Amino acid sequence: MRNRIGAAVVGFAATGAVLTAGPASADMHWTKADASGYSAQAQRAGLTAKQAEALQQKVDRHLAKVPDSRQTGPNTIAFPGGKVVVEVPGGQYSGALRSPYSDCRFEFCGGEDSGTAYSWDQCRKYDVRHMSGPGFWWNSQIDRMRVHMYGAQGERIYTTPNAYSEDKSANWSPVYWIKTCIPAK
């Protein structure tokens, strides 16, 4: 883990990104200068200035909803134990623009019908109260693992089938938390 953090710091330094420390926190927060850099990357990848602005607004909405998250690319966000890939206006994926549906390997992924996909890649409990309505999930964890989904009172309301499994018509509204890496029965 330490090597990955070191590589990330070197990578950020090479891009000239400005990092600031938050109050009483070691977390990194991005400045508007970073957002304009991501907008420029999106435009170099084929988006118009208007599309890049719309994409950044979508990213900003997800950053506000997902605890401890930070933008890592024109349409990507990282949070402790996972990532978010935001759908690009017009569905143009090339260069720095990643498809929400291309990165779900050996983890649990899901999203709302808005086209934004979340992936959770650590064995732990996650807060997903920011998600609601119709969507999907894919369970591609290793060793036939399952996922428990919990409701508002912390009660288990659903357990996914063993990996690999999926639900293309999931309802996220009653799900408040998920716990990954549940051993298969």
Side-chain angles (χ1 to χ4, degrees):
M1 182 66 150
R2 185 174 292 261
N3 288 340
R4 279 201 270 171
I5 292 171
V9 170
V10 170
F12 293 134
T15 64
V18 178
L19 302 176
T20 60
S25 169
D27 293 337
M28 294 184 223
H29 299 279
W30 301 98
T31 67
K32 285 208 178 266
D34 300 318
S36 67
Y38 292 129
S39 178
Q41 285 181 14
Q43 289 177 54
R44 283 192 302 273
L47 296 186
T48 66
K50 189 173 183 171
Q51 288 174 318
E53 181 181 338
L55 174 60
Q56 187 59 51
Q57 289 172 354
K58 285 172 110 176
V59 168
D60 290 343
R61 282 192 299 274
H62 285 283
L63 286 167
K65 292 191 305 185
V66 180
D68 301 320
S69 60
R70 67 188 186 332
Q71 187 169 0
T72 56
N75 70 323
T76 56
I77 298 168
F79 60 89
K83 64 182 176 285
V84 182
V85 181
V86 178
E87 185 175 46
V88 173
Q92 297 174 310
Y93 299 102
S94 64
L97 301 174
R98 303 204 30 213
S99 168
Y101 310 108
S102 64
D103 282 348
C104 192
R105 292 184 287 278
F106 311 115
E107 56 201 358
F108 183 72
C109 302
E112 301 155 306
D113 280 349
S114 66
T116 295
Y118 294 78
S119 60
W120 300 276
D121 59 13
Q122 293 180 2
C123 295
R124 58 182 257 186
K125 196 170 188 178
Y126 293 94
D127 181 341
V128 295
R129 289 176 286 180
H130 58 278
M131 297 175 70
S132 66
F136 60 90
W137 57 257
W138 297 305
N139 180 11
S140 67
Q141 299 175 95
I142 61 170
D143 295 330
R144 300 180 51 223
M145 295 289 185
R146 300 176 300 152
V147 173
H148 286 173
M149 296 182 182
Y150 300 90
Q153 304 304 314
E155 74 283 11
R156 187 172 59 195
I157 58 175
Y158 184 71
T159 300
T160 67
N162 299 342
Y164 181 87
S165 57
E166 63 182 44
D167 184 345
K168 295 179 183 175
S169 59
N171 179 10
W172 285 102
S173 294
V175 182
Y176 282 60
W177 294 276
I178 61 170
K179 185 174 183 183
T180 56
C181 304
I182 305 300
K185 283 191 172 184

